[in-house]
Amino acid sequence: VQGCLGSCWFLSAVAVVAMRGGLAERTFALAAVEGAPAGQLTVQLWKEGRWRRVTIDDRLPCDADGSLLYARSAEPTELWVSLLEKAYAKAHGSYQAISGGWIAEALLDLTGAPTEMIDLGDERFDSELMWARLRAYHQLGLPMGCGTNNAEGSQNLKEVGLVGGHAYSILDVRNACTTAGEVVRLLRVRNPHGCTEWNGDWSDQSQMWAQLIDSDAGGASSDAALPRGSFERTGVDDGTFWI
């Protein structure tokens, strides 16, 4: 969950990296260095073309009530997200230095793998090709994210439950069929705020779900345990939604 720092781009990347078994663990592979003082942790990040060790202590910024100010896990006994953000801030010089950025940059730093950023507003953008690529990337288990533009049109975004100049995680990519025979393309997306969701068609409370008759999970899916045609919806404002 994002705190009072503009690190949505980093946390959106962390969320999807953590879903791909082994990637997040690799970042913490050196966490407990033998002989290190109590409270000292070492995290490895991909910076300047190599894996770089970043050593931190376990002290975290809190408010007067003792609540964490910045990134935290929804599970209060888990601190790895907060510690990873602290290491990332140290690698960049300060917490302020990671207030604002691109998901592609964070994915590179967390995995060491090449990344790509695609602008849906580019005059060369091909929506058919983009959807085919999203499906293929999802089948390969590649971590993905998305984001909205800055100030321009942000009020219109707010009206439909989206945040302007904000990053989101992509959790799932699906084709679905409706009773009218229409094929619908749906993304499951997560807001790192842990709240505030899309409220249009296919949102949690949308009547569109009554028209759904079948779906194609399209390979690896966070909903793999669900029956064919099922879409996980919590029904509460937890920041996770279909669009």
Side-chain angles (χ1 to χ4, degrees):
V1 179
Q2 183 181 351
C4 61
L5 184 70
S7 58
C8 58
W9 59 287
F10 173 66
L11 293 175
S12 295
V14 170
V16 288
V17 166
M19 292 172 63
R20 307 307 193 263
L23 289 182
E25 287 86 346
R26 183 172 62 183
T27 304
F28 283 94
L30 303 172
V33 177
E34 186 175 353
Q40 178 176 297
L41 299 169
T42 300
V43 173
Q44 55 181 3
L45 299 166
W46 184 265
K47 301 297 292 180
E48 290 82 45
R50 63 181 177 87
W51 286 107
R52 176 186 170 192
R53 298 184 179 188
V54 182
T55 300
I56 60 171
D57 59 37
D58 59 0
R59 298 177 181 177
L60 297 167
C62 297
D63 61 20
D65 297 326
S67 299
L68 292 171
L69 281 173
Y70 302 142
R72 64 189 185 280
S73 172
E75 170 53 59
T77 60
E78 288 186 9
L79 293 176
W80 69 271
V81 174
S82 305
L83 294 167
L84 180 56
E85 185 187 54
K86 178 173 181 174
Y88 200 64
K90 182 176 180 179
H92 287 80
S94 68
Y95 277 103
Q96 182 61 35
I98 63 170
S99 183
W102 302 101
I103 302 174
E105 179 185 351
L107 287 173
L108 171 63
D109 293 343
L110 291 168
T111 67
T115 58
E116 180 180 18
M117 186 164 60
I118 299 170
D119 181 1
L120 276 64
D122 190 290
E123 61 181 13
R124 297 166 296 177
F125 175 72
D126 184 330
S127 62
E128 296 298 317
L129 176 61
M130 183 71 250
W131 184 251
R133 293 174 71 179
L134 282 173
R135 297 267 292 167
Y137 294 162
H138 183 62
Q139 288 178 345
L140 291 170
L142 302 184
M144 296 184 288
C146 56
T148 55
N149 290 330
N150 282 315
E152 184 178 355
S154 59
Q155 183 58 40
N156 293 334
L157 289 173
K158 185 177 181 180
E159 292 172 0
V160 294
L162 299 178
V163 182
H166 192 52
Y168 294 80
S169 303
I170 295 178
L171 306 181
D172 207 348
V173 183
R174 299 271 198 105
N175 279 339
C177 187
T178 69
T179 52
E182 178 188 7
V183 175
V184 182
R185 298 167 173 176
L186 296 172
L187 292 180
R188 189 172 184 229
V189 177
R190 181 182 182 276
N191 182 348
H193 285 160
C195 62
T196 309
E197 301 178 7
W198 163 254
N199 57 34
D201 288 350
W202 302 100
S203 58
D204 276 10
Q205 309 301 330
S206 172
Q207 296 301 310
M208 300 295 290
W209 293 105
Q211 302 178 25
L212 186 70
I213 59 173
D214 199 5
S215 73
D216 172 11
S221 169
S222 59
D223 299 333
L226 296 174
R228 183 174 174 82
S230 297
F231 286 74
E232 182 179 349
R233 304 192 309 281
T234 63
V236 297
D237 185 13
D238 61 357
T240 303
F241 56 91
W242 293 92
I243 186 170

